[in-house]
Amino acid sequence: GIGEFMGFSPIVSGTGLIGWEFLNRTREKQQAAFAQSPSIARDSTQFAEQIQGVQTSEQLMDNHTLLRVALGAFGLDEDVNNRAFIKQVLDSDLTDGASLANRLADKRYLRLAEAFNFAGSDGPKIGGAGIESELIAKLDNLSSAEDLLLDRKLLRATLAGFGLDTNLSNAYFLQQVLESDLADPASFANRLSDKRYVELARTFDFHSKSQAGDDLYGFSRTFTDRLADLETAEDLLDDPDLLDSALRIFGLEKDFANLDRPDFLLNVLNSDPYDGNSFATQLEDKRYLALSNAFGFGDSGTETSKAEKLISRLNARTDTVEQVSDLFNDIGLTLAVMDFFNLPQGEGKITLARRIVGADRSDPNALINVYPDRRYHAFANAFDFKEKSDTRSYSQGFVAAIVGSYHDRQFENEIGESDTNMRIALSMERDLSLLVDRGGSGDTQWFSVMASAPLRSVFETAFGLPSSFGALDVDQQLVVFKDRSERMFGTDRVADFADPDMLDQLRRRFLLISDQNSAQSLSSGGGVVLALLSGAAG
C-alpha cells in the first residue's frame, strides 16, 4: 500500500461494524500519526509555505507538490498528470454555465475551480467547496492565540496545515509561538530551529493584532455584551478592561496615564456634552468631549448612547470594513462613526473626513499628520484599513482547509487499500453533505446519489438491491430508491440522511449488510471448492 512510502500506515481491526467501531475510536490518533508521515508532512508544509506565491493557474500547475495537495484535497489525485484538462477546469468561468467545470457531471471539479477561483475577481474562497465553511470562517476571524487554542478542532486543522500535529496538547508552547514578535530576532518563534513555527506565527500574526486591538472591532468585541450594564460613569471606571478599551479608541490611554487628578475622568464622563459650560466641553482636547458624548452618562435625555448605536450598526454588517471605500460607501455606518467621535457632519465634513482617513501616513505633510483636531486621528485609527492589492492572497482558513481535506482524503485512500467499504464509510458524511448543500429538488438529489459511485454503493447495499439494479431505467431506479428509503428509514428525502442520527443508521446498515454479503460470498466460494475437491476425490 501507499503507506509503505509514507511512514505510518493506518490500521483497521476487523470488518463491518466491528472494524468501524475500532476505526472510529482510534481515528483521531491514527490521523495525527498519519499526518506526520514524511511525505504527507512535507507536502503539507510546502503548500502552507508556497501557496501565497501562486497567482495564476499556470503557477499552480508548475508546482507539482502544490498541485498534488490541491487535487488531493478534492479526491482528484488521479488527475495530477492530466495537465491540459485540469488547467481548463481551473480557468473555467464559473459565471458561464457552458464552461468546462460547470458542465462536468463530477462536481469535484467544480468545487476545485470554485475554491481557487482563478477566473473570478474576488480571489480564492472555500465556502461551499466541500470543506467545512464554519471552520474557515472561524479561522479567518480569530483575534487572539487564546481563541485558537481553546478550539481543539480548529487547532488540529491548523497544526495539520503545517505538519505540526504532535504539538496539539502543548498549549503553553504554542501560545509562545503564536504570540511571537517576528520583527524581534530574539522572539520565541525566531529562536526555534524548526522554521515551520515562524510560518505558523506569521500566518496568524497575533502579535500585530494585539497591537492593533484598539480599533472599533476590538472596542465592539469588548463592549457588545456589557454595555447595557453600564448605568453610571462609576460602572465604567470600576471595570479596568472596559475603561482601557474606551480610552484607547479615542487615543487617550497615554494622556490619562500621566494625569494625577483622580476625579478628572469622572468629571469628563459625567459632563453633559450639550452644555457649553460642562467640564468636558471646556477642555482644549476635544477627544474628551467625544468620550463623554459616546457614553452619554451626563446626558439625561438620551436612552440609547452613541456607543450602542455604533456597535449595533457595526454588528449588523455581514462583511468586515477593510478598505476606506468600505466605510464611506456605507453612509449609515459613516455617520454613526462620525457621531461616535463627535465630529461635525455639515456640508463638506464627510469629504474632509474621507480625505483625512485616506491620506498617506508615511508623508509627514499629509492631512492626517497635520490636522490639529485629534478626533479625526482617532477616527482614522478606528479601522485597520488595508492597502488595495491585485495580488491574490490565501487566508489561513483556506490553507488549513485545503491541507486538512488533503489529510482526510489521503487517510481514506490508505484505509481503502485494505477495506474499500471502510473508506466509503469514512467519506459518507462529507459526500452526503456536499450533495445536500448543492440544493435541488428531492428527485434531483436522488439522481446525484445515482451518479456518485460511493453513495450509490451505500444506498444499494443498505436497500438490499442486486448488482444488476443499475441496468434499470433511471426513472425506475428513482422509484425503487424512494420506496425502499421510505420503508426502511421512514423518509424518501436524501437531505434527511445528512442528520447525524440518520447518517449513522445508514452507515451501520451499509457496513452490516456489506459484511454479511462478503461472508456469504466466502462461504459460497468455500462450498464450490469443497464440491470440486469432493469430485476430484471421487
Side-chain angles (χ1 to χ4, degrees):
I2 56 176
E4 296 172 10
F5 305 100
M6 294 183 177
F8 175 80
S9 185
I11 302 166
V12 179
S13 179
T15 59
L17 290 175
I18 294 175
W20 173 252
E21 294 293 348
F22 172 82
L23 183 58
N24 205 27
R25 189 170 62 251
T26 62
R27 181 178 180 180
E28 182 175 332
K29 289 184 178 179
Q30 289 207 56
Q31 274 205 253
F34 180 71
Q36 290 299 308
S37 299
S39 63
I40 295 290
R42 183 173 60 250
D43 286 354
S44 304
T45 302
Q46 191 168 330
F47 187 89
E49 290 177 346
Q50 297 181 9
I51 190 61
Q52 296 298 341
V54 172
Q55 300 296 307
T56 65
S57 61
E58 288 86 354
Q59 290 174 328
L60 180 59
M61 301 296 298
D62 288 343
N63 190 317
H64 195 265
T65 299
L66 300 195
L67 181 62
R68 181 168 62 245
V69 173
L71 294 177
F74 294 91
L76 298 170
D77 313 63
E78 68 276 8
D79 285 309
V80 72
N81 293 316
N82 198 356
R83 294 176 57 83
F85 171 72
I86 289 299
K87 186 176 187 310
Q88 196 174 347
V89 168
L90 288 169
D91 288 336
S92 293
D93 178 359
L94 300 179
T95 64
D96 179 4
S99 65
L100 180 62
N102 279 320
R103 293 200 321 269
L104 293 170
D106 189 337
K107 296 308 175 186
R108 292 177 299 171
Y109 295 105
L110 177 59
R111 294 194 292 272
L112 172 70
E114 286 174 335
F116 284 89
N117 196 30
F118 285 113
S121 60
D122 49 350
K125 51 187 179 181
I126 286 285
I131 304 170
E132 295 180 80
S133 56
E134 180 184 356
L135 182 82
I136 297 139
K138 284 183 179 181
L139 277 165
D140 288 342
N141 288 290
L142 292 173
S143 59
S144 70
E146 288 86 351
D147 292 342
L148 177 58
L149 294 170
L150 288 172
D151 192 322
R152 193 169 179 81
K153 183 177 181 181
L154 209 59
L155 181 62
R156 185 186 303 111
T158 299
L159 295 179
F162 293 87
L164 297 170
D165 309 59
T166 54
N167 291 288
L168 185 59
S169 300
N170 199 347
Y172 178 77
F173 172 82
L174 288 172
Q175 183 161 359
Q176 300 304 303
V177 169
L178 290 165
E179 294 179 348
S180 293
D181 178 4
L182 297 181
D184 179 5
S187 67
F188 189 79
N190 280 326
R191 296 201 312 271
L192 297 172
S193 58
D194 188 338
K195 293 310 171 188
R196 289 179 297 177
Y197 294 109
V198 172
E199 292 304 317
L200 176 65
R202 179 175 293 118
T203 297
F204 290 95
D205 196 19
F206 286 129
H207 178 78
S208 295
K209 287 180 180 178
S210 69
Q211 301 300 306
D214 311 337
D215 67 6
L216 268 182
Y217 283 105
F219 177 85
S220 177
R221 283 192 298 271
T222 302
F223 276 90
T224 292
D225 296 325
R226 300 163 70 183
L227 191 56
D229 296 330
L230 299 180
E231 297 181 356
T232 66
E234 286 83 355
D235 292 338
L236 177 58
L237 295 175
D238 288 342
D239 192 315
D241 290 338
L242 295 184
L243 179 59
D244 182 64
S245 181
L247 293 174
R248 286 180 179 280
I249 196 62
F250 290 98
L252 294 169
E253 69 281 2
K254 292 181 180 178
D255 290 353
F256 185 67
N258 294 326
L259 293 172
D260 55 5
R261 291 171 288 171
D263 293 332
F264 177 86
L265 197 53
L266 181 62
N267 291 331
V268 167
L269 290 169
N270 280 326
S271 295
D272 181 349
Y274 301 105
D275 179 358
N277 295 316
S278 69
F279 186 80
T281 58
Q282 297 184 62
L283 294 173
E284 183 178 353
D285 189 335
K286 297 305 178 186
R287 290 177 298 174
Y288 287 109
L289 177 59
L291 174 65
S292 174
N293 175 71
F295 290 96
F297 293 121
D299 179 11
S300 58
T302 184
E303 293 184 2
T304 304
S305 70
K306 304 292 175 61
E308 288 177 281
K309 291 177 182 177
L310 173 60
I311 289 173
S312 176
R313 188 85 196 191
L314 198 62
N315 290 340
R317 281 185 62 96
T318 57
D319 54 350
T320 305
V321 175
E322 295 183 347
Q323 312 283 345
V324 172
S325 58
D326 293 340
L327 172 60
F328 286 94
N329 287 343
D330 185 340
I331 190 63
L333 180 61
T334 301
L335 294 175
V337 177
M338 293 184 72
D339 208 20
F340 177 76
F341 287 104
N342 203 31
L343 294 172
Q345 298 174 25
E347 184 177 354
K349 296 303 181 181
I350 291 180
T351 301
L352 172 64
R354 183 165 191 156
R355 285 179 57 205
I356 291 175
V357 171
D360 180 4
R361 297 187 183 215
S362 64
D363 179 0
N365 296 315
L367 189 58
I368 190 172
N369 292 322
V370 298
Y371 202 77
D373 190 336
R374 304 308 291 168
R375 291 177 297 177
Y376 283 97
H377 200 273
F379 176 46
N381 289 336
F383 296 96
D384 180 21
F385 292 119
K386 301 169 184 174
E387 293 292 327
K388 274 194 174 181
S389 173
D390 294 329
T391 302
R392 290 168 59 87
S393 63
Y394 301 83
S395 71
Q396 60 261 35
F398 182 96
V399 174
I402 290 289
V403 171
S405 183
Y406 173 67
H407 287 185
D408 288 345
R409 298 270 194 171
Q410 298 308 304
F411 183 79
E412 291 167 15
N413 289 346
E414 182 69 6
I415 290 292
E417 290 284 307
S418 58
D419 190 327
T420 302
N421 289 331
M422 211 60 67
R423 174 185 178 180
I424 293 173
L426 282 170
S427 65
M428 278 177 61
E429 181 175 5
R430 179 188 61 239
D431 292 347
L432 266 173
S433 295
L434 285 172
L435 190 155
V436 171
D437 287 346
R438 283 282 166 192
S441 68
D443 288 356
T444 298
Q445 291 183 352
W446 278 116
F447 287 129
S448 296
V449 166
M450 297 179 209
S452 166
L455 289 179
R456 172 183 276 276
S457 175
V458 168
F459 281 98
E460 284 186 350
T461 302
F463 293 163
L465 298 170
S467 57
S468 58
F469 177 72
L472 293 177
D473 177 80
V474 291
D475 289 326
Q476 289 180 277
Q477 292 183 48
L478 174 64
V479 172
V480 174
F481 270 127
K482 292 174 71 173
D483 178 64
R484 295 284 177 103
S485 181
E486 180 69 46
R487 283 196 286 118
M488 293 180 179
F489 293 95
T491 180
D492 65 356
R493 299 177 65 251
V494 175
D496 288 341
F497 288 99
D499 175 80
D501 291 336
M502 289 285 287
L503 176 67
D504 188 55
Q505 290 180 46
L506 177 64
R507 183 191 288 117
R508 286 178 172 276
R509 183 171 177 83
F510 162 69
L511 290 170
L512 179 65
I513 295 179
S514 61
D515 203 33
Q516 290 173 349
N517 291 343
S518 297
Q520 289 172 2
S521 176
L522 287 172
S523 175
S524 173
V528 171
V529 171
L530 284 173
L532 290 172
L533 289 174
S534 298

